[in-house]
Amino acid sequence: MASILVIGVGSTGLSAMEQAQQFYYEFTKKNSPGANNSAFLYLETDKNRLPKVTPNGGTDIKACFLCPQNIDATLNNWQGKYEWMPTTAQVLNTHSGAAGQPAFGRIALWAEEQSVRNIIQDLYNQINGNAQTNIYLVGSLTGGTGTGIFLDLAYLIRQITNNNNIYGMFMLPDKNNVGQTTKDVIYENAYTSLFSIDKYSKADTKTNTNYKCILPGGTDISNLSAPFYNVQFF
């Protein structure tokens, strides 16, 4: 049996993992196949959104919170280097989510890059990750956290694991269930996300669409491959 690593991003990713574990529990009385061949990681910018607690003490979903709080000097140093960077005052001292703004989610990932890198490496080692391991990135492409980090995260995972079996499973907006006040930003986030996936899935050195990014910690990622082996939208 191939090992799996499931990484849920934001509340949608958490909900998907919890429902998958509940479904598995109904048939096996276990949350997952086991720690030796499966691992679940939850990345979130809102510290109020926690994995559910069960009568047995909780699920085996490991949580990692991304928060730009208390990195004043770092954020000031980033100003002027990245055109998408919001002002420092907008992101400091917050731990209640990305508020539907992808830039906030991306900053949070960059601020916690080393923590994310370490936890992914640890979980990958825990399941004896190899070329047959399947990695699933699950979340929504409508909010700030998922939209802000899914692309960088996919390529970061590739670099950490040297694994090409990375699958995306993402929620898109339903036009019938989107209120007028939030419709514009939700559709903008979804559109830019789909555009990014399409662009980097056609990576070509001649058209300069290969993914290249130098993270603030010094990590230099350059990759001609598509971010995902396969993507499913819901």
Side-chain angles (χ1 to χ4, degrees), residues 135-138 141 150-151 153-155 157-158 164-170 197 200-201 225-233:
I135 302 173
Y136 298 91
L137 189 55
V138 184
L141 297 182
F150 84 94
L151 191 67
L153 183 59
Y155 284 107
I157 292 170
R158 281 183 174 274
N164 294 319
N165 303 326
I166 301 176
Y167 299 85
M169 301 176 68
F170 300 115
I197 291 174
Y200 290 107
S201 293
S225 300
F228 302 100
Y229 180 80
N230 186 274
V231 183
Q232 294 287 331
F233 299 110

Side-chain angles (χ1 to χ4, degrees), residues 46-141:
D46 187 348
K47 287 194 173 183
N48 296 313
R49 298 187 180 275
L50 302 172
K52 293 178 181 177
V53 176
T54 67
N56 296 325
T59 65
D60 52 1
I61 298 174
K62 192 170 185 65
C64 177
F65 292 101
L66 312 176
C67 180
Q69 190 174 21
N70 300 323
I71 58 166
D72 193 1
T74 302
L75 286 174
N76 285 331
N77 187 50
W78 293 351
Q79 295 296 331
K81 292 185 178 180
Y82 309 103
E83 61 182 13
W84 56 269
M85 187 73 66
T87 62
T88 302
Q90 289 180 286
V91 294
L92 282 180
N93 300 320
T94 178
H95 51 266
S96 58
Q101 301 187 59
F104 291 5
R106 195 179 196 196
I107 288 172
L109 174 66
W110 284 23
E112 299 289 348
E113 176 205 345
Q114 194 57 55
S115 296
V116 173
R117 175 182 293 277
N118 291 342
I119 197 169
I120 290 176
Q121 186 67 70
D122 288 345
L123 291 176
Y124 196 68
N125 292 340
Q126 173 186 304
I127 61 175
N128 300 311
N130 53 50
Q132 282 69 52
T133 298
N134 293 317
I135 302 173
Y136 298 91
L137 189 55
V138 184
S140 167
L141 297 182

Side-chain angles (χ1 to χ4, degrees), residues 169-190:
M169 301 176 68
F170 300 115
M171 188 77 72
L172 294 177
D174 179 352
K175 66 179 181 180
N176 297 318
N177 295 317
V178 177
Q180 186 63 42
T181 57
T182 59
K183 182 170 64 176
D184 290 346
V185 67
I186 286 176
Y187 277 99
E188 287 168 4
N189 288 345

